[in-house]
Amino acid sequence: METVKMAKKWAIEKVSIRYWQKRVTESSLNLKKLAREARKVGWKGVVGALLKDVCLGWKPWELVYMLFLVGIQIGVYLKQPESFLGMIAGVSGIVNVIFVTKGKISNYFFGLINVTIYLYLSVISGFYGEVLTSVYFFLMQFVGAYLWLLNVDKKDQSKKEPVYIKPKKLSLFGWVKAIVGMLFIWGLFGFIYRGIGANRPFRDSVTDGTNYVGQWLMNGSYAAQWLFWIGTNVFSIYLWWGASLEMVVMYWVFLVNSIVGYIRWTKNS
């Protein structure tokens, strides 16, 4: 009996090792491919592609929509200037989520600006749960950009327009993994926060669950990401209420955009 158990354990470990070896090999090949393409066009081509992604492909109403939301953030700061960094984080965050809605890979550039500032503000505000989430988001900007570059809509490359990401629909098994993952992260971080003496550990860990799963789904280009972002935004408004007006306004704008993003991505998937 013991021999059978050992054989099963060895077989599982062998399959797991092969799986990760395959993933590492695939990632290495993909990175080499992206590096070759970058060397082929040169740094000017890379910058040109970034500017093309940022500037082209906008409809007039989309520009008005973005300028309106950014204007709200700047207007709140001008009326009640609490934090210049908070305002910059809010503006870059709004631009980031609107670019995600459009399926623009350049969203990760603005996301990197937003998460770097947000990480600093979370540290000085003592929101240590948000610090851990911000570190995760910082690393995921690079992972997400890599995955989105592999998921561009190839059929649009013949046109003189930006290449967009193909939204995907989450399968039933994917939903099970997402919900279980969210509950697991929520509980795990809740116990961690309780262990370090947090007053409301499981309330503070709610956004960890929605954030981590939302970013995972976003990197995979799944339309379901927006439902988790909606949950994140609702709880984040509650978290920052009374601490930073710029952050509260930013998350209200995020909430509106998350609803728009969910409708748009669900339709396109």
Side-chain angles (χ1 to χ4, degrees):
M1 190 67 178
E2 190 66 28
T3 304
V4 173
K5 290 182 178 179
M6 290 295 293
K8 288 182 177 179
K9 182 179 179 181
W10 179 82
I12 293 172
E13 290 178 349
K14 187 175 181 180
V15 170
S16 179
I17 290 172
R18 286 180 176 176
Y19 169 79
W20 286 111
Q21 285 177 337
K22 182 180 179 181
R23 294 301 298 271
V24 170
T25 301
E26 288 178 351
S27 298
S28 178
L29 292 174
N30 288 330
L31 286 172
K32 288 179 180 178
K33 178 183 177 182
L34 294 175
R36 283 197 303 270
E37 293 178 357
R39 285 196 299 268
K40 187 185 300 182
V41 300
W43 69 270
K44 289 184 179 180
V46 173
V47 173
L50 177 62
L51 292 175
K52 180 180 177 181
D53 191 64
V54 171
C55 300
L56 299 182
W58 294 98
K59 298 176 181 177
W61 73 266
E62 291 174 332
L63 288 174
V64 171
Y65 171 70
M66 181 167 63
L67 291 174
F68 174 72
L69 295 184
V70 169
I72 292 176
Q73 186 73 49
I74 296 176
V76 169
Y77 172 75
L78 293 176
K79 185 175 181 180
Q80 190 174 338
E82 291 183 354
S83 169
F84 179 74
L85 278 179
M87 186 269 290
I88 297 297
V91 170
S92 59
I94 290 168
V95 174
N96 168 241
V97 296
I98 292 175
F99 274 45
V100 175
T101 305
K102 285 281 291 179
K104 288 177 171 287
I105 298 177
S106 53
N107 82 82
Y108 287 102
F109 172 76
F110 296 98
L112 190 62
I113 297 173
N114 171 262
V115 74
T116 301
I117 298 174
Y118 191 84
L119 174 60
Y120 172 75
L121 293 177
S122 296
V123 170
I124 64 175
S125 299
F127 296 160
Y128 299 115
E130 296 297 293
V131 170
L132 293 176
T133 302
S134 297
V135 171
Y136 169 76
F137 277 162
F138 182 85
L139 297 175
M140 287 299 104
Q141 300 309 304
F142 302 98
V143 175
Y146 158 75
L147 292 174
W148 276 39
L149 284 169
L150 298 177
N151 190 40
V152 294
D153 197 346
K154 303 295 184 182
K155 68 177 183 297
D156 286 337
Q157 289 187 341
S158 59
K159 303 177 182 179
K160 293 183 179 180
E161 297 178 1
V163 176
Y164 295 112
I165 296 302
K166 297 177 291 185
K168 301 174 186 176
K169 184 178 290 186
L170 198 61
S171 66
L172 177 61
F173 181 60
W175 272 110
V176 172
K177 289 196 297 182
I179 294 173
V180 171
M182 181 189 69
L183 294 176
F184 174 77
I185 294 170
W186 176 25
L188 175 64
F189 279 87
F191 283 113
I192 292 174
Y193 297 156
R194 189 171 70 176
I196 60 178
N199 293 327
R200 291 167 291 188
F202 291 97
R203 186 213 67 172
D204 293 342
S205 65
V206 169
T207 53
D208 291 300
T210 55
N211 270 324
Y212 280 59
V213 175
Q215 184 68 54
W216 168 60
L217 293 175
M218 174 184 161
N219 288 350
S221 309
Y222 290 102
Q225 61 168 299
W226 296 106
L227 294 176
F228 292 88
W229 292 139
I230 289 171
T232 293
N233 296 328
V234 170
F235 280 100
S236 294
I237 290 169
Y238 174 62
L239 176 66
W240 285 97
W241 195 271
S244 173
L245 181 60
E246 287 87 358
M247 291 293 102
V248 171
V249 172
M250 181 185 76
Y251 277 112
W252 268 111
V253 173
F254 282 2
L255 179 59
V256 172
N257 192 74
S258 295
I259 296 171
V260 174
Y262 177 71
I263 295 171
R264 186 168 187 169
W265 276 54
T266 301
K267 180 181 178 181
N268 292 336
S269 66

